[in-house]
């Protein structure tokens, strides 16, 4: 197999990489670009730990080939904070103790941001279904849901 | 040995009990935290493991020649590369056999060979080129089947322990345990009502989201390093060194951030294999399990078969309780049946009690601990019968439990007599909780159950260094699996009298600190916390001595109070108090660095109890169950960081909900696991659940200076029964098998309808 | 599209079409398939649009579940089809998965297929011998197998124009609330007359046979009735009778047979309501 050249924008920066045709975007991010914030929990799209957005759409990066990202804009957890300022979701996750081990946290934050981008005032049920693709085994989701609702409220006020 | 015999229950805490942000928080919300699979090394190879497709097979020959010739393959290891260094240590030999199959493959997924190659693609191709000649043998995966006289036998070395006379014929029954006191038969004769039931529970997996991962680097001089996600890096170091014949001092193990464990990362699987590959290739080797491998080849918990018999008088007093528990723990000895038998009746004040346990082997992966190992299944069986009995004597379940609950002075079913315990307070609080009186909707029912866990102490070592600016560096040796660094900082700050954010805790590697047992048994906040307190006290003694030196007064004339060294009384002299920062600034001139240390085997872990209330709604046409409300009430002794205590209560409850309703290992007739992925091994998703309400009770543990008890495990013990009782209340059918999946509930409902029609 | 089909036709080894990739990548990753050729059709403009045509709707093969859910007109006309597609996987999967992929995967448990069959949808197939149009139910022939020939690609799905007083619905049974494969799926599409009498119906079942089933007896149970309890009982019985399920890790035979009837009744009631029935 020969490597393929790909040009993308990741977290606002133009990024060029080469990858094999059968390599997933998750592998590219983690192994070629050093962006290890997206995690591999299952590699079958069932856990959401590898969540990123591609052109604004929430996606499991394990279900996308690296070559498919040509010309796309990808956003990952590494681009979520604005310089020193954490995103309100990141802050609320800390304040609410919405993480224990933290392995699912990057994926959940990316998914929660995607949810609030399209629905700034979600009900608890909408938050729960919006995050159903992100498994968390530590928290029982209670504090996660509270943190997302609280962040949404703060973002609406801002 | 309790280090402080007087618990400081009336003590007013300054920082303990507050809810500061965790020190590792920013790293974890920005994606910077480094977990097991996130490490790299120059020249790193990819390690992959070949696994048995058969549940039980003799390995006649392994031919690696073709794979070795594949360009890019740098090392291959098989059983031949793991000579037996275990010197008759049977438990260690089992680990050796588990990490790489020897004469037989004992379960589907058992490691047979491993490859290190330049990339994942080459490693995968190389595995296909390894030829293994198997002789497939009959297999057994069910615990009751495995105990039958004609069952296929896994090990011809297992002669059941704990029975007289000791059998001469090998079987799958490793050992019989018995706990209890009184005369059970006499107790049943005094009973007015006796209920006897048999229960079965399927095996479940801890389901941590982070697969096992490690990066090994061993040189030809025998010196090595290992980066690994584990609950105990000292355990990993000692176990790997012994398995591979290395000196313990030559292997330095660093614990990565850990993406969940729940007991499943308290042993080794891939670590010795990665080290062996690295040693052979003389290159760093990273091994990361796939999710499929995690399900097939890590350590799920036991499946069980349990008989429970309990007798009561008409007025609701238990006269006798008896249980026989059969747990299969996979292909090797060590199912958690001992804990199951010990804990089964631990919630009750019983005159006559007996619990018999059988540890059984089957052709399944070797079990590892899973949160309160062995206890949830036993509680499911016992608490289901307790609820049924309560109804039979015409009492509410909660009143029946209050009447029979264990309390201070009760001789426990497993031996010791309880000190101050929190069971009755959780029950009484539950009775007053708004949840208990809330109205129920159609097809809804309310259930409850109690649970118990021992909690553990264990070997612990802590180092606390006072820096020149008055900040403190705390080194602990127990991996932080859910916020323990925050708790340690809180306790150090409390003891030193300095702000929380002046203490920075790290998990030190194995070369930087003395030995620490694994993060398990709900021991860290208790044992590492107590060591931290004593290390801080050690430091304050030294700080006082330095102040005494500065002031020119005797050491004993200085005390540490509110973060300052102070003259002990008016006679000691009139010196203005010196803060920790002021004393620390002069450390160089007064004798050098100031540090506190503590190392011990922690004793005095306080047992903990919980009561759970659950409302379930059952769709009578499909058998689907939804949990609509859930409340956890648990004794924490002292909640050091209440947010993370609540988190433990909630997380345990939800794992229990998954276990009760949907999670199970499903084996085909071929002995192969059919649902080795998160699609069909169904752990609860966010939309399945309600909020999980929590009530923290604080009945101080006399064995800890602040009264701390472990909190992590008890919360998974009551849910299985609480949900079974709620389903029974909602649908009118009592399920005695877990999981209570929709097909099972619907079948029970149909059976009940058929009976009703037949009766009419 | 023709070029893509030609590429597939020419390849001597194993060749696959990549659209959303949510099934394909799982099979690739687990080593279940080792393709020599993958043809990504997402960049072909025709595959990415939903067009309102005189005949109804033309949905491109690479239109994602999320895009279907965002198309107000389609959602209004065929709510059952859209909800079935929106049930596939998580929000993450919705951003990628396609109905054509769901169909070509040929799983008997595919969520969108019963709804498409109940809707009377057709697919446009492009191949070496030109275009052909076939009803959706003729595409899957067995679990994992379709009637597509080498070099053939489904270009789009055609949904008929919606008559007034019509409604459709899809319900599935899963043990959790999300993220599961259907244990049973039922789609119903009905048309009522001004008096509320059902004048047309199509009912399809998923996960109860080797392929998705169109159940004419179930439709017969509804047509000519006001979809009252008696008719719904007959519908449930017809659906249960049509099931030819297996016992597997997701459910038992008995469970599937019973629940097919239960869901058929519920789905028909929703479809009736959407058609403006009482």
């Amino acid at each position: 197999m020969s490597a393929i050249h790909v040009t993308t924008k990741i977290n606002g920066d133009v990024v060029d990489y080469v990858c094999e045709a059968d390599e997933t975007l998750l592998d590219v991010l983690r192994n070629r670009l050093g962006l290890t914030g997206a995690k591999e929990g299952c590699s079958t799209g069932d856990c959401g730990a590898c969540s990123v957005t591609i052109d604004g759409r929430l996606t499991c990066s394990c279900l996308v080939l690296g070559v498919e990202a040509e010309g796309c804009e990808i956003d990952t957890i590494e681009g979520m904070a604005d310089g020193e300022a954490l995103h309100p979701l990141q802050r609320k996750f800390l304040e609410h103790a919405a993480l224990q081990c933290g392995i699912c946290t990057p994926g959940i934050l990316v998914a929660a941001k995607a949810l609030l981008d399209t629905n700034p005032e979600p009900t608890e049920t909408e938050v729960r279904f919006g995050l159903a693709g992100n498994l968390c085994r530590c928290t029982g989701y209670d504090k996660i849901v509270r943190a997302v609702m609280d962040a949404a409220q703060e973002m609406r006020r801002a | 040995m309790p280090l402080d015999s007087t618990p400081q229950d009336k003590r007013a805490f300054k920082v303990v009990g507050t809810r500061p942000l965790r020190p590792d928080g920013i790293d974890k919300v920005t994606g910077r935290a480094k977990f097991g699979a996130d490490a790299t090394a120059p020249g790193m190879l990819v390690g992959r493991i070949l696994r048995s497709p058969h549940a039980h097979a003799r390995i006649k020959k392994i031919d690696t020649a073709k794979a070795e010739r594949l360009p890019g393959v740098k090392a291959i290891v098989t059983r031949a590369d793991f000579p037996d260094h275990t010197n008759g240590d049977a438990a260690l030999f089992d680990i050796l056999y588990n990490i790489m199959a020897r004469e037989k493959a004992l379960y589907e997924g058992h490691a047979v060979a491993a490859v290190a190659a330049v990339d994942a693609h080459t490693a995968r191709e190389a595995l296909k080129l390894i030829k293994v000649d198997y002789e497939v043998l009959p297999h057994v995966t069910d615990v009751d089947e495995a105990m039958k006289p004609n069952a296929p036998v896994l090990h011809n070395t297992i002669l059941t322990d704990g029975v007289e006379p000791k059998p001469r014929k090998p079987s799958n029954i490793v050992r019989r345990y018995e706990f209890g006191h009184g005369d059970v038969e006499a107790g049943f004769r005094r009973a007015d009502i006796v209920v006897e039931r048999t229960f079965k529970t399927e095996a479940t997996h801890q389901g941590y989201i982070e697969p096992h991962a490690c990066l090994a680097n061993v040189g030809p001089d025998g010196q090595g390093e290992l980066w690994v996600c584990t609950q105990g890096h000292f355990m990993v170091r000692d176990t790997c060194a012994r398995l591979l014949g290395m000196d313990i001092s030559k292997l330095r193990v660093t614990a990565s951030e850990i993406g969940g464990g729940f007991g499943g990362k308290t042993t080794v699987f891939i670590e010795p294999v990665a080290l062996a590959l690295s040693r052979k290739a003389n290159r760093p080797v990273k091994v990361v399990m796939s999710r499929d491998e995690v399900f097939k080849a890590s350590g799920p918990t036991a499946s069980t078969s349990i008989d429970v018999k309990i007798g009561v008088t008409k007025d609701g007093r238990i006269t006798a309780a008896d249980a026989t528990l059969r747990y299969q723990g996979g292909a090797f000895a060590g199912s958690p049946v001992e804990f199951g038998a010990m804990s089964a009746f631990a919630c009750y004040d019983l005159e006559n009690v007996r619990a018999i346990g059988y540890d059984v082997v089957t052709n399944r992966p070797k079990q590892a601990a899973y949160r309160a190992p062995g206890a949830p299944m036993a509680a499911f069986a016992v608490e289901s019968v307790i609820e049924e009995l309560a109804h039979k004597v015409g009492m509410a379940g909660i009143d029946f439990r209050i009447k029979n609950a264990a309390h201070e002075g009760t001789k426990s079913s497993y031996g010791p007599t309880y000190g101050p315990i929190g069971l009755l307070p959780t029950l009484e609080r539950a009775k007053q909780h708004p949840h208990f009186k809330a109205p129920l909707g159609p097809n809804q029912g309310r259930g409850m159950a109690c649970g118990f866990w021992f909690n553990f102490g264990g070997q612990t070592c802590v180092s606390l260094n006072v820096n020149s600016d008055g900040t403190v560096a705390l080194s602990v040796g127990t991996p932080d699996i859910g916020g323990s660094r925050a708790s340690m900082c809180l306790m150090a700050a409390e003891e030193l009298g300095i702000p929380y954010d002046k203490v920075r805790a790290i998990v030190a590697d194995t070369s930087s600190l003395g030995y620490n047992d694994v993060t398990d048994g709900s021991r860290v906040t208790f044992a590492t916390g107590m060591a931290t307190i004593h290390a801080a006290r050690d430091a304050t003694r030294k700080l006082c001595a330095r102040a005494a030196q500065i002031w020119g007064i005797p050491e004993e004339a200085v005390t540490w109070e509110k973060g300052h060294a102070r003259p002990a009384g008016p006679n000691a002299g009139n010196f203005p108090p010196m803060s920790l920062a002021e004393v620390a600034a002069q450390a160089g001139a007064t004798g050098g660095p100031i540090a506190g240390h503590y190392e011990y085997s922690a004793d005095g872990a306080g047992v903990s109890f919980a009561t759970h209330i659950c409302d379930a709604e059952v769709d009578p046409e499909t058998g689907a169950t939804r949990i609509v409300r859930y409340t956890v009430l648990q004794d924490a002794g002292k909640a050091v960081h209440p947010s993370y205590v609540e988190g433990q209560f909630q997380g345990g409850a939800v794992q229990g909900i998954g276990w009760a309703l949907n999670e199970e290992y499903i084996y085909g007739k071929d002995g192969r696991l059919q649902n080795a992925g998160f699609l069909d091994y169904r752990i609860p998703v966010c939309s399945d659940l309600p909020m999980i309400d929590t009530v923290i009770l604080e009945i101080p543990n006399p064995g800890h200076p602040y009264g701390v008890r472990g909190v992590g495990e008890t919360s998974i013990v009551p849910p299985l029964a609480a949900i079974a009782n709620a389903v029974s209340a909602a649908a009118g059918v009592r399920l005695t098998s877990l999981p209570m999946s929709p097909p099972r509930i619907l079948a029970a409902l149909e059976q009940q309808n058929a009976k009703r029609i037949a009766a009419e | 599209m023709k070029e893509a089909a030609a590429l597939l036709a020419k390849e001597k080894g194993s060749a696959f079409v990549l659209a959303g990739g949510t099934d394909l990548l799982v099979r690739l990753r687990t080593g279940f398939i080792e393709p020599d050729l993958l043809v990504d059709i997402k960049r072909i403009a025709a595959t990415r649009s939903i067009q309102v045509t005189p005949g109804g709707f033309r949905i491109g093969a690479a239109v994602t579940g999320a895009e279907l859910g965002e198309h107000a007109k389609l959602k209004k006309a065929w709510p059952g089809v859209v909800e079935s597609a929106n049930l596939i996987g998580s929000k993450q999967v919705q951003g990628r998965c396609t109905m054509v992929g769901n169909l070509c995967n040929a799983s008997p448990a595919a969520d969108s297929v019963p709804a498409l069959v109940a809707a009377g949808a057709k697919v446009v197939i492009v191949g070496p011998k030109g275009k052909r149009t076939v009803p959706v139910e003729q595409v899957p022939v067995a679990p994992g197998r379709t009637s597509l020939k080498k070099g053939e690609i489904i270009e789009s799905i055609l949904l008929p124009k919606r008559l007034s007083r019509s409604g459709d619905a899809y319900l599935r049974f899963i043990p959790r609330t999300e993220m599961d494969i259907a244990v049973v799926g039922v789609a119903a599409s009905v048309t009522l007359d001004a008096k509320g009498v059902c004048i047309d119906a199509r009912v399809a079942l998923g996960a109860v046979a080797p392929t998705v089933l169109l159940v004419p007896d179930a439709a017969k149970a509804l047509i000519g009735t006001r979809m009252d309890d008696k008719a719904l009982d007959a519908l449930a019985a017809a659906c249960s009778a049509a099931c030819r399920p297996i016992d597997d890790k997701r459910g038992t035979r008995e469970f599937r047979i019973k629940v097919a009837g239960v869901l058929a009744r519920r789905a028909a009631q929703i479809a009736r309501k959407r058609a403006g029935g009482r």
Side-chain angles (χ1 to χ4, degrees), chain A residues 112-123:
Chain A
K113 182 171 177 295
L115 172 72
L116 298 188
D117 283 348
T118 53
N119 180 1
E121 200 169 352
T123 61

Side-chain angles (χ1 to χ4, degrees), chain B residues 187-435:
Chain B
F188 282 121
R189 284 196 294 274
R190 289 211 335 265
D192 297 311
I193 301 164
V194 174
V195 167
E196 189 172 4
R197 296 276 176 268
T198 295
F199 299 86
K200 283 203 97 159
T201 71
E202 294 299 342
T204 55
H205 194 274
Q206 299 83 353
Y208 34 82
I209 308 300
E210 182 197 29
H212 297 263
C214 67
L215 171 56
N217 194 356
V218 189
D221 58 355
Q223 301 211 53
E225 296 199 341
L226 185 70
W227 163 271
V228 57
C229 64
T230 176
Q231 290 175 245
H233 45 315
F234 291 90
M235 169 279 297
V236 170
R237 178 194 62 178
D238 290 15
T239 308
C240 289
R242 290 178 66 194
L243 291 178
L244 297 168
M246 296 169 74
D247 289 344
I248 285 176
S249 67
K250 287 187 184 152
L251 181 58
R252 175 184 177 208
V253 181
T254 306
S256 71
E257 293 298 331
I258 174 170
F262 317 107
K265 293 175 183 167
T266 56
T267 182
V268 295
F269 299 107
I270 55 174
E271 297 82 355
V273 179
L275 287 164
L277 285 169
S278 173
R279 182 165 66 182
K280 204 163 176 176
N282 192 18
R283 296 263 293 265
V285 176
K286 179 150 109 178
V287 179
V288 181
M289 273 196 188
S290 67
R291 179 55 54 184
D292 178 82
E293 287 180 289
V294 172
F295 277 110
K296 287 178 181 163
S298 67
T301 191
S303 64
T304 75
S305 162
I306 303 172
D307 307 324
V308 172
K309 182 179 175 186
I310 303 178
V312 291
T313 59
K314 272 183 296 209
D315 62 347
R317 185 76 188 125
I318 300 174
T319 59
D322 194 8
T324 302
L325 305 94
R326 296 165 294 269
Y327 287 22
Q328 70 74 26
F332 299 93
S335 84
V337 73
E338 185 180 7
F339 291 150
M342 288 168 80
S343 67
F345 295 112
C347 289
Y348 296 99
D349 181 28
L350 303 169
E351 213 176 301
N352 306 298
V353 57
R354 178 174 61 194
I356 295 165
Y358 292 97
D359 178 13
V360 180
V361 295
T362 64
N363 295 109
R364 296 189 186 214
K366 177 176 166 41
Q367 71 90 42
Y370 180 20
R371 207 167 194 156
M377 312 80 140
F380 164 61
V382 169
E383 289 291 291
S384 292
V385 173
I386 289 282
E387 191 72 20
E388 202 179 334
L389 276 169
H391 294 188
K392 285 221 155 111
V393 296
M395 288 175 81
I398 193 155
D399 295 322
F400 183 77
R401 287 180 175 85
I402 288 172
K403 186 160 189 170
N404 290 288
H407 46 77
E408 185 166 2
T410 293
K411 183 177 166 60
S412 70
S413 57
Y414 62 96
T417 298
Y418 291 130
I421 58 170
L423 178 58
L424 273 167
T426 66
L427 281 163
E428 274 148 13
R429 204 48 192 280
K431 206 174 166 179
Q432 283 151 25
H433 196 279
H435 183 172

Side-chain angles (χ1 to χ4, degrees), chain B residues 50 61-64 127-133:
Chain B
L50 183 70
K61 200 178 156 212
I62 305 173
D63 182 358
T64 59
L127 291 189
K128 287 187 207 156
L129 297 175
I130 297 174
K131 246 195 99 208
V132 184
D133 192 1

Side-chain angles (χ1 to χ4, degrees), chain A residues 1 20 22 30-31 35-44 46-47 49 77-81 84 86 89-91 93-106 109 124-125 127-146 149, chain B residues 19 21-22 24-26 28-35 37-38 121 124 205-211 257-260 262 286 290-291 370-371 481-483 641-644 646-648 650-652 654-655 658 663 677-679 681 683-687 689-693:
Chain A
M1 247 180 295
E20 302 292 336
D22 64 350
R30 290 180 54 83
N31 302 338
L35 295 170
T36 56
K39 306 297 179 190
E40 179 166 308
C42 67
S43 82
T44 51
D46 295 307
C47 81
I77 185 65
E78 284 90 350
M80 198 165 189
E84 270 189 282
L86 294 181
L89 276 163
Q90 293 173 310
R91 218 160 10 79
F93 265 57
L94 294 179
E95 286 172 17
H96 285 267
L99 54 139
Q100 284 175 34
C101 79
I103 192 87
C104 70
T105 309
L109 285 167
E124 183 195 329
T125 304
V127 171
R128 287 189 178 277
F129 278 89
L131 297 179
N134 294 81
L135 299 180
C136 168
R137 191 59 159 171
C138 294
T139 65
Y141 305 101
D142 182 299
K143 291 179 189 300
I144 291 173
V145 174
R146 287 176 201 278
M149 306 276 291
Chain B
R19 300 172 184 242
L21 303 188
R22 58 195 285 168
D24 54 325
I26 303 270
K28 288 198 170 147
V29 298
T30 55
R32 290 205 291 266
K34 278 179 85 178
F35 289 86
D38 297 340
H121 193 258
R124 208 164 45 230
H205 194 274
Q206 299 83 353
Y208 34 82
I209 308 300
E210 182 197 29
E257 293 298 331
I258 174 170
F262 317 107
K286 179 150 109 178
S290 67
R291 179 55 54 184
Y370 180 20
R371 207 167 194 156
I481 199 155
H641 192 310
S643 295
Y644 290 100
E646 292 161 2
Q648 290 294 327
Q650 292 163 336
V654 167
Q655 288 182 342
E663 292 179 36
F678 279 139
L679 182 62
Y681 183 89
I683 78 171
V685 300
C686 195
S687 49
L689 298 161
M691 292 294 186
I692 308 293
D693 292 337

Side-chain angles (χ1 to χ4, degrees), chain C residues 45-128:
Chain C
T47 68
R48 295 306 299 266
S49 66
I50 302 172
Q51 287 172 308
V52 184
T53 63
F57 295 89
R58 175 187 292 270
I59 302 166
V63 171
T64 66
E67 286 162 353
L68 291 169
E70 289 159 11
H71 198 282
K73 273 191 184 155
L74 180 68
K75 215 171 157 180
K76 188 156 178 281
W78 293 104
V81 171
V82 174
E83 76 194 351
S84 73
N86 286 168
L87 283 173
I88 302 166
S90 58
K91 286 276 179 294
Q92 284 85 340
V93 168
Q94 278 294 307
R96 303 268 301 168
C97 71
T98 67
M99 287 200 294
V100 169
N102 203 216
L103 176 62
C104 292
N105 204 29
S107 160
D111 282 309
S112 66
V113 180
L116 288 170
V117 170
K122 295 185 168 71
V123 292
V124 180
I125 300 169
V126 177

Side-chain angles (χ1 to χ4, degrees), chain C residues 210-261:
Chain C
T211 60
V212 167
L213 294 180
L214 179 67
V215 189
D217 284 349
K220 271 186 215 154
L222 297 177
I223 294 169
T225 75
R226 289 175 177 279
M227 298 177 67
D228 50 13
D229 276 345
K230 204 178 133 204
L232 293 174
D233 284 347
L235 164 77
C239 285
S240 289
C243 294
R244 288 179 278 122
I246 53 166
D247 280 320
D248 69 5
K249 60 188 172 185
R250 293 177 186 141
T252 58
R253 256 187 104 250
E254 295 71 27
F255 181 81
R256 288 184 157 112
I257 290 169
K258 167 94 203 283
V259 173

